[in-house]
Amino acid sequence: MGRVAFAAALAACVAVCGSASAADLSFKDTPEFSAPPLRWTGFYIGGHAGGGFGDTDVDDTFDYNGDPFASNSVDISGLIGGLQVGYNIQRGNLVFGIEADLGYLDISGSTSADLPNPDPSNHTRDISAKYEMDGGLYGDLTGRIGYATDRTMLYVKGGVAFLNAEFTSNYVGQNWSTVDPGGCRCQPNPSTFGAFGQDETLWGWTIGLGVEHALSENWSLKLEYQHFDFGSMSLGYEGSYNFARDLHSSLEGNADISPTVDAVKVGVNYRFNGGGDTLK
C-alpha cells in the first residue's frame, strides 16, 4: 500500500507542476508581435490637384509720340492638377528622392493700363493697353529631402520648372481733336492699333515644402506648397492708325512678361514596393 500511495502522490505532483508550467508559459512567455516601421524607399506614382495664384509683371517699352516706358502687373489665379512620379531612398530618418510633375496650370488674368504721353502739354493722342495672361501645360523636375518619423514625413523640394503660356496685349489710341481757336477738345475718337499675342514655353525654377502621411504600406496622402518663377518672355509689336483730320500715329515696342505662381496642392501616392528595406 505504501508504494501505491507514493506513486499516486508523485503523479499528482507532476500533474500540478505541469499545469503550473503551462499556465506560466501562457501568460508570461507568449511572444509579442508589432508592425515593422514603415519604409519610404522605392518608386511611387500618384496624382495631385489644387489652386494657384500669382502675378505677371509687364515691362512695356514703347514708342508712341515719345512715350518711353510703362510697368504694370497682371493678377493671375486658377486651378492646378496633374501626375507625379518619383523614387525615394531612406537612410535612418532621412529620405532622399527625386520627383517629376506633369500637369495643367489653368491660371489666367487681365488688367488695363493707361500709357499717357510723358509730356503733360501733349495729350492729343494718348494710348491705353489691356494685358492678358493664360497658362497651360506645366511640369517640373525636383530633388526632395525629408525627415520621416515612421508614417509621417516632412520634406522640402526644389528644381527646374516650365510653363506653356500665352500673353496678349491690345492697344487703343485716343485722338483728341481741336476744333476751334479757343482750344476746345472734343470727345476722344478711340482707334485700335491691334491685338498682339505670343505663345511660348517658359523655363524657370521652383521650390516647395510639404508633409506626406502613409495610410498603409503602399498608399500615402500629401499636402504641398510650391512657388514657381517661370522666367520671362519677350513680345515685340508694331502698329499704326490714321486718325480723323489726317492725324497719323504709329506704335511699336517690346513687352517683357515675367509670371510667378504660388500653388497649394493635395495629392495621393502609390509606392510599388512599400515595406522595402531601409538603408542603414
Side-chain angles (χ1 to χ4, degrees):
M1 267 318 274
R3 292 180 179 179
V4 173
F6 176 78
L10 181 61
C13 180
V14 170
V16 171
C17 292
S19 299
S21 297
D24 190 55
L25 284 173
S26 174
F27 291 103
K28 294 183 179 180
D29 297 334
T30 302
E32 296 182 359
F33 296 97
S34 60
L38 183 122
R39 298 172 177 87
W40 294 89
T41 297
F43 286 99
Y44 63 90
I45 189 171
H48 60 269
F53 61 92
D55 60 74
T56 299
D57 293 330
V58 183
D59 293 330
D60 202 343
T61 304
F62 56 95
D63 182 11
Y64 178 76
N65 292 344
D67 296 356
F69 177 79
S71 182
N72 291 279
S73 180
V74 180
D75 292 331
I76 51 179
S77 61
L79 301 177
I80 184 173
L83 302 175
Q84 70 267 359
V85 61
Y87 182 78
N88 289 324
I89 296 178
Q90 184 172 356
R91 187 182 296 273
N93 292 104
L94 294 179
V95 180
F96 306 91
I98 187 171
E99 184 175 270
D101 294 335
L102 183 64
Y104 199 83
L105 184 52
D106 188 22
I107 54 171
S108 62
S110 65
T111 191
S112 297
D114 292 325
L115 311 179
N117 193 303
D119 181 0
S121 64
N122 184 14
H123 286 295
T124 57
R125 284 171 288 177
D126 287 339
I127 193 171
S128 62
K130 182 177 182 180
Y131 304 118
E132 297 183 62
M133 176 76 184
D134 292 287
L137 185 71
Y138 96 98
D140 61 59
L141 180 63
T142 58
R144 297 202 314 172
I145 181 170
Y147 184 85
T149 56
D150 192 14
R151 294 184 173 273
T152 301
M153 176 175 62
L154 302 175
Y155 63 87
V156 294
K157 62 188 291 186
V160 297
F162 76 88
L163 172 68
N164 185 260
E166 182 179 4
F167 181 80
T168 303
S169 58
N170 186 54
Y171 300 93
V172 177
Q174 304 288 350
N175 173 29
W176 293 89
S177 300
T178 302
V179 296
D180 61 35
C184 174
R185 295 198 303 175
C186 299
Q187 293 297 317
N189 174 27
S191 304
T192 301
F193 286 93
F196 307 90
Q198 186 165 307
D199 190 329
E200 188 172 324
T201 299
L202 304 173
W203 287 90
W205 54 270
T206 181
I207 57 173
L209 55 89
V211 57
E212 188 169 355
H213 180 75
L215 303 176
S216 67
E217 292 296 316
N218 298 100
W219 291 97
S220 61
L221 293 176
K222 71 172 185 176
L223 175 65
E224 183 176 280
Y225 161 79
Q226 201 166 355
H227 174 79
F228 297 93
D229 186 323
F230 291 109
S232 63
M233 63 185 290
S234 183
L235 170 66
Y237 55 87
E238 181 177 358
S240 63
Y241 190 85
N242 289 319
F243 287 95
R245 303 180 65 222
D246 298 325
L247 292 175
H248 175 80
S249 286
S250 62
L251 171 71
E252 61 179 327
N254 187 83
D256 293 321
I257 303 101
S258 305
T260 59
V261 176
D262 294 288
V264 177
K265 305 181 292 183
V266 293
V268 58
N269 284 327
Y270 178 83
R271 291 189 311 282
F272 289 98
N273 53 341
D277 291 337
T278 301
L279 297 181
K280 302 298 184 184

Coordinates of all heavy atoms in Angstrom, one line a residue, residues 154-196:
L154 N 8.1 65.0 -43.3 CA 8.2 66.4 -43.7 C 9.3 66.5 -44.7 O 10.4 65.9 -44.5 CB 8.4 67.3 -42.5 CG 7.4 67.2 -41.3 CD1 7.9 68.0 -40.2 CD2 6.0 67.6 -41.8
Y155 N 9.1 67.3 -45.8 CA 10.1 67.4 -46.8 C 10.1 68.8 -47.4 O 9.2 69.6 -47.3 CB 9.9 66.4 -47.9 CG 8.6 66.5 -48.6 CD1 8.5 67.4 -49.8 CD2 7.4 65.9 -48.2 CE1 7.3 67.5 -50.5 CE2 6.2 66.0 -48.9 CZ 6.2 66.8 -50.0 OH 5.0 67.0 -50.7
V156 N 11.3 69.1 -48.1 CA 11.4 70.3 -48.9 C 11.9 69.8 -50.3 O 12.4 68.7 -50.4 CB 12.5 71.3 -48.3 CG1 12.0 71.8 -47.0 CG2 13.8 70.6 -48.1
K157 N 11.6 70.6 -51.3 CA 12.0 70.2 -52.7 C 12.4 71.5 -53.4 O 12.0 72.6 -53.1 CB 10.8 69.5 -53.3 CG 9.6 70.4 -53.5 CD 8.3 69.6 -54.0 CE 8.4 69.2 -55.4 NZ 7.2 68.6 -55.9
G158 N 13.1 71.3 -54.6 CA 13.5 72.4 -55.4 C 14.1 71.9 -56.7 O 14.6 70.8 -56.8
G159 N 13.9 72.7 -57.8 CA 14.4 72.2 -59.1 C 14.0 73.2 -60.2 O 13.7 74.4 -60.0
V160 N 13.9 72.6 -61.4 CA 13.5 73.4 -62.6 C 12.1 73.2 -62.9 O 11.5 72.2 -62.5 CB 14.4 73.0 -63.8 CG1 15.9 73.3 -63.5 CG2 14.2 71.5 -64.1
A161 N 11.5 74.2 -63.6 CA 10.0 74.1 -64.0 C 9.8 74.8 -65.3 O 10.6 75.7 -65.7 CB 9.2 74.8 -62.9
F162 N 8.7 74.4 -66.0 CA 8.4 75.0 -67.2 C 6.9 75.3 -67.3 O 6.1 74.6 -66.6 CB 8.8 74.2 -68.5 CG 8.0 73.0 -68.7 CD1 6.8 73.1 -69.5 CD2 8.3 71.8 -68.2 CE1 6.0 72.0 -69.8 CE2 7.5 70.6 -68.5 CZ 6.4 70.8 -69.3
L163 N 6.4 76.2 -68.1 CA 5.0 76.5 -68.3 C 4.8 77.0 -69.7 O 5.5 77.8 -70.2 CB 4.6 77.7 -67.3 CG 3.2 78.2 -67.6 CD1 2.1 77.1 -67.2 CD2 2.9 79.5 -66.8
N164 N 3.8 76.4 -70.4 CA 3.4 76.9 -71.7 C 2.4 78.0 -71.5 O 1.3 77.7 -71.0 CB 2.8 75.7 -72.5 CG 2.5 76.2 -73.9 OD1 1.3 76.5 -74.3 ND2 3.5 76.3 -74.8
A165 N 2.7 79.2 -71.8 CA 1.9 80.4 -71.5 C 1.6 81.2 -72.8 O 2.3 81.2 -73.7 CB 2.5 81.3 -70.5
E166 N 0.4 81.9 -72.7 CA 0.0 82.8 -73.8 C -0.2 84.2 -73.3 O -0.9 84.3 -72.3 CB -1.3 82.3 -74.5 CG -1.7 83.1 -75.7 CD -2.9 82.6 -76.4 OE1 -3.5 81.6 -75.9 OE2 -3.3 83.2 -77.4
F167 N 0.4 85.1 -73.9 CA 0.3 86.5 -73.5 C -0.3 87.4 -74.6 O 0.2 87.2 -75.8 CB 1.6 87.1 -73.0 CG 1.5 88.5 -72.6 CD1 1.1 88.8 -71.3 CD2 1.9 89.6 -73.4 CE1 1.0 90.1 -70.8 CE2 1.8 90.9 -73.0 CZ 1.4 91.2 -71.7
T168 N -1.2 88.2 -74.4 CA -1.8 89.1 -75.4 C -1.9 90.5 -74.9 O -2.2 90.8 -73.7 CB -3.3 88.7 -75.7 OG1 -3.3 87.3 -76.1 CG2 -3.9 89.5 -76.8
S169 N -1.5 91.5 -75.7 CA -1.6 92.9 -75.4 C -2.4 93.6 -76.5 O -2.2 93.4 -77.7 CB -0.2 93.6 -75.3 OG 0.5 93.4 -76.5
N170 N -3.4 94.4 -76.1 CA -4.2 95.1 -77.0 C -4.1 96.6 -76.8 O -4.4 97.1 -75.6 CB -5.7 94.7 -76.8 CG -6.6 95.3 -77.9 OD1 -6.4 95.2 -79.1 ND2 -7.7 95.9 -77.4
Y171 N -3.8 97.4 -77.8 CA -3.5 98.8 -77.6 C -4.6 99.7 -78.3 O -5.0 99.4 -79.5 CB -2.2 99.2 -78.2 CG -1.0 98.5 -77.5 CD1 -0.5 97.3 -78.0 CD2 -0.5 99.0 -76.3 CE1 0.5 96.6 -77.4 CE2 0.6 98.3 -75.7 CZ 1.0 97.1 -76.2 OH 2.1 96.5 -75.6
V172 N -5.1 100.7 -77.6 CA -6.1 101.6 -78.2 C -5.7 103.0 -78.0 O -5.3 103.5 -76.9 CB -7.5 101.4 -77.4 CG1 -8.5 102.4 -78.0 CG2 -8.0 100.0 -77.6
G173 N -5.7 103.8 -79.2 CA -5.3 105.2 -79.2 C -6.5 106.1 -79.0 O -7.6 105.8 -79.4
Q174 N -6.3 107.2 -78.3 CA -7.3 108.2 -78.1 C -6.9 109.5 -78.9 O -5.9 110.1 -78.6 CB -7.5 108.5 -76.7 CG -7.8 107.3 -75.8 CD -9.2 106.8 -76.0 OE1 -10.0 107.4 -76.7 NE2 -9.5 105.6 -75.5
N175 N -7.7 109.9 -79.9 CA -7.4 111.1 -80.6 C -8.3 112.3 -80.2 O -9.5 112.2 -80.3 CB -7.7 110.9 -82.1 CG -7.6 112.1 -83.0 OD1 -6.8 113.0 -82.6 ND2 -8.3 112.2 -84.1
W176 N -7.7 113.3 -79.5 CA -8.4 114.5 -79.1 C -8.3 115.5 -80.1 O -7.1 116.0 -80.4 CB -7.9 115.0 -77.7 CG -8.2 114.0 -76.6 CD1 -7.4 113.0 -76.2 CD2 -9.4 114.0 -75.8 NE1 -8.0 112.3 -75.1 CE2 -9.2 113.0 -74.9 CE3 -10.5 114.8 -75.7 CZ2 -10.1 112.7 -73.9 CZ3 -11.5 114.5 -74.8 CH2 -11.3 113.4 -73.8
S177 N -9.3 115.9 -80.8 CA -9.2 116.9 -81.9 C -9.5 118.3 -81.4 O -10.5 118.5 -80.7 CB -10.2 116.5 -83.1 OG -9.9 115.2 -83.6
T178 N -8.7 119.3 -81.8 CA -9.0 120.7 -81.5 C -9.8 121.3 -82.7 O -9.4 121.3 -83.8 CB -7.7 121.5 -81.4 OG1 -6.9 120.9 -80.4 CG2 -8.0 122.9 -81.1
V179 N -11.0 121.8 -82.4 CA -12.0 122.2 -83.4 C -12.2 123.7 -83.4 O -12.9 124.2 -84.3 CB -13.3 121.4 -83.3 CG1 -13.1 119.9 -83.4 CG2 -13.9 121.7 -81.9
D180 N -11.7 124.5 -82.5 CA -12.0 125.9 -82.5 C -10.7 126.6 -82.0 O -9.9 126.0 -81.3 CB -13.2 126.3 -81.7 CG -13.1 126.0 -80.3 OD1 -12.0 126.0 -79.7 OD2 -14.2 125.6 -79.7
P181 N -10.6 127.9 -82.3 CA -9.4 128.7 -81.9 C -9.2 128.7 -80.4 O -8.2 129.0 -79.9 CB -9.7 130.1 -82.5 CG -10.6 129.9 -83.6 CD -11.5 128.7 -83.2
G182 N -10.3 128.5 -79.7 CA -10.2 128.6 -78.2 C -9.5 127.3 -77.6 O -9.3 127.3 -76.4
G183 N -9.2 126.4 -78.4 CA -8.6 125.2 -77.9 C -9.5 124.2 -77.3 O -9.0 123.3 -76.5
C184 N -10.8 124.2 -77.6 CA -11.7 123.2 -77.0 C -11.4 121.8 -77.6 O -11.2 121.6 -78.8 CB -13.1 123.6 -77.4 SG -14.4 122.4 -76.9
R185 N -11.3 120.8 -76.6 CA -11.1 119.4 -77.1 C -12.4 118.7 -77.1 O -13.2 118.7 -76.1 CB -10.1 118.7 -76.1 CG -8.7 119.3 -76.2 CD -7.7 118.4 -75.6 NE -8.0 118.0 -74.2 CZ -7.3 117.1 -73.5 NH1 -6.3 116.5 -74.1 NH2 -7.7 116.8 -72.3
C186 N -12.7 118.1 -78.2 CA -13.9 117.3 -78.3 C -13.8 115.9 -77.7 O -12.7 115.6 -77.2 CB -14.3 117.2 -79.8 SG -14.7 118.8 -80.5
Q187 N -14.8 115.1 -77.8 CA -14.7 113.7 -77.3 C -13.7 112.9 -78.0 O -13.4 113.2 -79.2 CB -16.1 113.0 -77.5 CG -17.2 113.6 -76.6 CD -16.9 113.5 -75.2 OE1 -16.5 112.4 -74.7 NE2 -17.2 114.5 -74.4
P188 N -13.0 112.0 -77.3 CA -11.9 111.2 -77.9 C -12.5 110.3 -79.0 O -13.6 109.8 -78.9 CB -11.3 110.5 -76.8 CG -12.4 110.3 -75.8 CD -13.2 111.6 -75.9
N189 N -11.7 110.0 -80.0 CA -12.0 109.0 -81.0 C -11.1 107.8 -80.8 O -10.0 107.8 -81.3 CB -11.8 109.7 -82.4 CG -12.0 108.7 -83.5 OD1 -12.7 107.7 -83.4 ND2 -11.3 108.9 -84.6
P190 N -11.6 106.8 -80.1 CA -10.8 105.6 -79.9 C -10.5 104.8 -81.2 O -11.4 104.6 -82.0 CB -11.6 104.8 -78.9 CG -13.1 105.2 -79.2 CD -13.0 106.6 -79.6
S191 N -9.3 104.4 -81.3 CA -8.8 103.7 -82.5 C -7.9 102.6 -82.1 O -6.9 102.9 -81.4 CB -8.1 104.7 -83.5 OG -9.0 105.7 -83.8
T192 N -8.2 101.4 -82.5 CA -7.4 100.2 -82.1 C -6.2 100.0 -83.0 O -6.4 99.9 -84.2 CB -8.3 99.0 -82.1 OG1 -9.4 99.2 -81.1 CG2 -7.5 97.8 -81.6
F193 N -5.1 99.9 -82.4 CA -3.9 99.6 -83.2 C -3.8 98.1 -83.5 O -3.2 97.6 -84.4 CB -2.6 100.0 -82.4 CG -2.4 101.5 -82.4 CD1 -2.9 102.2 -81.4 CD2 -1.7 102.1 -83.5 CE1 -2.7 103.6 -81.4 CE2 -1.5 103.4 -83.5 CZ -2.0 104.2 -82.5
G194 N -4.5 97.3 -82.6 CA -4.5 95.8 -82.8 C -4.1 95.0 -81.6 O -3.5 95.6 -80.7
A195 N -4.4 93.8 -81.6 CA -4.0 92.9 -80.6 C -2.8 92.1 -81.0 O -2.7 91.5 -82.1 CB -5.2 91.9 -80.2
F196 N -1.8 92.0 -80.1 CA -0.6 91.3 -80.3 C -0.4 90.2 -79.3 O -0.6 90.4 -78.1 CB 0.6 92.3 -80.2 CG 0.5 93.5 -81.1 CD1 -0.1 94.7 -80.6 CD2 0.9 93.5 -82.4 CE1 -0.3 95.8 -81.4 CE2 0.8 94.6 -83.2 CZ 0.2 95.8 -82.7

